Amino acid sequence: VDNLRKYVHSSGIYDKVELVVVSPLLRTMQTAVGVFGGDGYVNGADVPALMVENSWSNDHPAISSLNSPPFVAMELCREHLGQHWCDKRRSISEYKPIFPAIDFSLIESDDDVLWKHDIREKNEELAARGLKFFDWLSKRKEKEIAVVTHSGFLVHTLEAFGKDCSPPSLKIEI
């Protein structure tokens, strides 16, 4: 995360990003905040923390939302749903105190009602969900959007495009 943050800042990508869309799983939110969050948080600041202190490890400082793009959590860009416990999200009410500046308003249920212990989402279903996500992205007013998601989500979604990985109106930069 630290190396990616350095690259994103030194390359100028950070200055262009208008919005960060993140999967609502702990590991992606930690990565997104670590890469695109503002510098040092000061207690009592007028802006909320993107991530409170000690939520990543016992000695990790809080990360500020000051001068960072807005963050929004989105269910559509999650990893495969079902069976694997590492792909089940915590409740939104548990996340909000840890990530106060992430917007969770697009998530309809506090609990993870999409994940099932006995059914694994098929690759084709994941790809269809990914295409819905890309459609949602293409309708956003922001044009420079960072998406922090999962490899399985990307692999199966991009496979749906065949050899041409993006529709004409969507620019993908990796």
Side-chain angles (χ1 to χ4, degrees):
V1 170
D2 290 339
N3 287 337
L4 183 56
R5 179 182 178 82
K6 288 175 191 171
Y7 171 76
V8 164
H9 280 262
S10 68
S11 67
I13 293 172
Y14 180 85
D15 297 325
K16 296 177 185 176
V17 173
E18 300 169 66
L19 177 69
V20 176
V21 180
V22 62
S23 160
L25 297 184
L26 182 63
R27 61 189 182 263
T28 47
M29 291 189 292
Q30 290 171 328
T31 299
V33 166
V35 173
F36 294 101
D39 290 324
Y41 181 75
V42 177
N43 282 333
D46 289 341
V47 296
L50 273 168
M51 186 172 73
V52 298
E53 67 183 335
N54 301 329
S55 57
W56 195 326
S57 65
N58 289 338
D59 61 350
H60 200 282
I63 296 177
S64 177
S65 63
L66 185 63
N67 298 321
S68 72
F71 283 62
V72 63
M74 172 56 116
E75 296 270 36
L76 286 174
C77 65
R78 286 179 60 168
E79 185 57 283
H80 264 108
L81 298 169
Q83 289 185 327
H84 299 167
W85 286 99
C86 63
D87 297 332
K88 183 177 187 337
R89 74 164 166 80
R90 298 177 186 180
S91 68
I92 298 304
S93 57
E94 189 176 342
Y95 283 147
K96 283 182 178 181
I98 299 169
F99 301 100
I102 293 181
D103 178 358
F104 293 100
S105 65
L106 297 176
I107 298 178
E108 296 177 5
S109 176
D110 186 49
D111 292 324
D112 189 350
V113 297
L114 301 176
W115 186 92
K116 308 291 184 213
H117 77 281
D118 58 343
I119 301 171
R120 184 77 169 159
E121 182 179 35
K122 293 179 177 136
N123 293 345
E124 300 80 26
E125 294 168 329
L126 175 58
R129 180 165 48 87
L131 293 176
K132 285 181 188 176
F133 174 70
F134 277 19
D135 184 58
W136 175 84
L137 269 182
S138 71
K139 294 175 182 167
R140 295 289 305 188
K141 66 177 170 80
E142 303 89 354
K143 296 302 170 205
E144 299 289 338
I145 301 172
V147 178
V148 182
T149 186
H150 309 269
S151 63
F153 172 82
L154 289 172
V155 165
H156 296 294
T157 300
L158 294 177
E159 280 179 352
F161 290 109
K163 293 182 182 191
D164 181 13
C165 286
S166 63
S169 65
L170 186 64
K171 175 183 156 190
I172 298 174
E173 189 173 310
I174 299 176

